[in-house]
Amino acid sequence: MSHVLSTYARFPLTLVRGEGSRVWDDAGKSYLDFCTGIAVCSLGHCPPRLVQAIREQAGTLLHVSNLYRIPQQEELARVIVEDHVRIPGKVFFANSGAESNDGLIKTARKFGHARPQADGSPRYEVLSFTKSFHGRTLGGINATGQDKVKEGFDPMLPGFRHLPFNDLAALQAAIAPETAAILLEPVQGEGGVNVATPEFLRGIAALCKKHDLLLLLDEVQAGFGRCGQPMAWRAIAPELEPDGISWAKGMGGGFPIGAFWLSDRAVDSAGTPLSSLMGPGTHGTTYGGNPLACAASLAVLAEIAEKNLEAEVLRQESRIRTTIASWKLPAITEVRGIGLLLGIGLDTTKFAVPAGKLPAAFVCGKLLEAGLLVPPAGPETIRLLPPLNVTDNEVDEALAIFHRVVSELGEEDAVGSGSGG
Ligand SMILES: *Cc1c(COP(=O)(O)O)cnc(C)c1O
């Protein structure tokens, strides 16, 4: 009997070792890992530079309080602001994506106090979108536009509303006097891999300017090279200037770390920087940004930059798209996403799914048995999230497994319906 809380319906697989794009289970069987801990192991498993950085820092200084100066934090913040965001601002380090989003939500409320409604009462509302995912803390589930994460956790917090994704008119109509911010994933991950259109992102930016709202981007899954750009929004509307950004997942390569960035832009005529609203005493964390986590993230970001992995990501995206298009498999509807955050849509009328199973989870189970690890994204989409440094051979091998398994799905269905009649 397990003593672990059963919050996950787990696949029957126990992984014990990893190297590059490959992992091994407790029986010695190997798998290609295109799940990467859900877009976390951006350099694959046990990349030497990351392992070395963690070993060195662990042997020097693991943890100190944020009561003291932490040079690794200063350096990581500098790299993030100067090389990745490239807009003046400040970074707060956390331990996860949900926590980082909580920081953005708190910032929205602070901003709503600094820039209140006409009658002087604070603004507080955060608008987000259906099929979004922003994490499992109370703040995260309130911001998330999916009922399944909220069931049984009522009452929800005041100050959140969800609008249809990529529908600018609906958003425009929804902005109320109490609205303080708009929060979105430029590429929705968990919700099925849905890409914001350039018109939608640009329209949101214009609405934010017009109504004095914060534009907050959740780049927890899509950021730091995953979409072939330092940040996913730059792959869609590169000139966009967000007010806040959250990250986690790939930025630590497997070491837990998250962060949020706030712009230095002035929020009033006195020139008060947005980032200054979160001053001493407004927010905190015991673990966030300790020397070990920052050393790990610095190694990951340096490797992505020096190996030019963003260009590699775009090259592999194009190889994957070309190959899948050439199959013309009826069970595949389309490929969505950017870079190596890809979603393969399934036509669930083209194959039989056992009762009680969601189509995507069922197919992921079949792929696992065939030696390829991939996560679902919603009920009808399979995600491909290989390491950013995946090789041509590994991509080809994974796609060959994918093709075989998905072709056989169709055949099984044909046989099944034949014998059933
Ligand atoms: C995974 C994810 C989160 C939550 O991150 P945790 O580290 O699990 O808290 C938030 N937003 C997005 C877009 C994510 O993909």
Side-chain angles (χ1 to χ4, degrees):
M1 192 195 70
S2 173
H3 293 84
V4 176
L5 207 61
S6 60
T7 55
Y8 280 87
R10 295 175 200 265
F11 287 100
L13 175 68
T14 306
L15 297 169
V16 294
R17 189 165 70 82
E19 191 183 327
S21 302
R22 237 168 257 281
V23 285
W24 284 264
D25 71 12
D26 52 356
K29 182 179 169 186
S30 94
Y31 303 80
L32 272 170
D33 188 5
F34 279 38
C35 174
T36 53
I38 317 216
V40 166
C41 304
S42 39
L43 302 176
H45 292 276
C46 303
R49 184 180 195 149
L50 175 58
V51 171
Q52 176 69 13
I54 291 173
R55 283 200 173 122
E56 268 176 26
Q57 190 58 51
T60 309
L61 186 64
L62 275 177
H63 175 83
V64 294
S65 169
N66 279 306
L67 293 170
Y68 310 110
R69 292 177 184 160
I70 301 176
Q72 293 83 357
Q73 223 181 76
E74 293 294 335
E75 175 61 7
L76 182 55
R78 186 194 66 75
V79 168
I80 289 173
V81 173
E82 291 182 3
D83 301 346
H84 295 266
V85 180
R86 297 177 199 152
I87 304 169
K90 310 273 186 288
V91 182
F92 179 94
F93 292 102
N95 308 284
S96 70
E99 242 184 281
S100 305
N101 283 330
D102 277 0
L104 291 184
I105 293 164
K106 281 181 71 174
T107 304
R109 293 205 169 176
K110 256 287 187 235
F111 173 74
H113 276 75
R115 306 282 298 162
Q117 301 180 42
D119 67 2
S121 59
R123 295 188 289 159
Y124 54 86
E125 187 181 53
V126 175
L127 298 179
S128 58
F129 298 92
T130 50
K131 295 191 182 174
S132 62
F133 182 78
H134 299 296
R136 296 288 197 150
T137 56
L138 264 183
I141 64 173
N142 274 275
T144 293
Q146 302 188 56
D147 290 340
K148 66 176 186 186
V149 305
K150 307 180 187 192
E151 274 162 24
F153 298 112
D154 290 332
M156 288 290 115
L157 300 173
F160 292 89
R161 252 186 315 148
H162 306 95
L163 286 308
F165 195 58
N166 277 334
D167 184 342
L168 198 59
L171 176 64
Q172 184 160 12
I175 293 168
E178 62 271 21
T179 307
I182 298 172
L183 168 68
L184 81 156
E185 300 157 83
V187 183
Q188 292 186 332
E190 304 302 306
V193 188
N194 308 304
V195 181
T197 63
E199 302 74 46
F200 189 55
L201 278 188
R202 290 182 178 127
I204 290 177
L207 286 174
C208 285
K209 217 169 223 122
K210 183 172 170 208
H211 297 276
D212 191 21
L213 311 175
L214 296 185
L215 171 52
L216 307 176
L217 299 182
D218 178 342
E219 294 247 359
V220 167
Q221 186 160 162
F224 291 115
R226 171 83 24 210
C227 293
Q229 292 281 338
M231 297 298 142
W233 96 78
R234 296 229 188 255
I236 303 170
E239 79 289 357
L240 212 73
E241 298 220 341
D243 296 308
I245 314 168
S246 58
W247 304 282
K249 294 202 164 92
M251 76 180 283
F255 198 92
I257 183 170
F260 67 92
W261 166 93
L262 297 177
S263 171
D264 283 342
R265 82 156 167 92
V267 294
D268 55 26
S269 51
T272 311
L274 172 65
S275 54
S276 75
L277 297 184
M278 296 300 275
T282 57
H283 199 46
T285 167
T286 298
Y287 286 134
N290 79 10
L292 186 59
C294 292
S297 186
L298 277 166
V300 171
L301 300 190
E303 183 76 0
I304 291 172
E306 283 170 30
K307 297 279 160 66
N308 203 8
L309 293 183
E310 283 152 10
E312 271 299 287
V313 163
L314 295 177
R315 194 176 68 81
Q316 296 295 5
E317 175 193 3
S318 128
R319 294 182 74 246
I320 291 170
R321 284 182 177 278
T322 306
T323 302
I324 294 180
S326 76
W327 294 342
K328 302 190 169 56
L329 280 179
I332 294 178
T333 56
E334 61 176 343
V335 177
R336 295 186 297 272
I338 304 182
L340 292 177
L341 202 184
L342 295 175
I344 303 179
L346 298 173
D347 181 344
T348 56
T349 65
K350 294 294 193 294
F351 57 96
V353 179
K357 290 211 172 174
L358 293 172
F362 168 67
V363 177
C364 288
K366 291 267 179 196
L367 290 165
L368 183 156
E369 284 167 23
L372 174 63
L373 302 186
V374 285
E380 296 176 358
T381 303
I382 295 190
R383 245 178 311 177
L384 298 184
L385 298 167
L388 309 186
N389 57 3
V390 67
T391 66
D392 288 9
N393 283 341
E394 289 159 351
V395 165
D396 294 346
E397 192 184 331
L399 290 176
I401 295 172
F402 200 95
H403 182 260
R404 195 174 73 240
V405 167
V406 174
S407 316
E408 284 168 6
L409 282 177
E411 282 166 25
E412 275 172 24
D413 181 36
V415 171
S417 51
S419 61

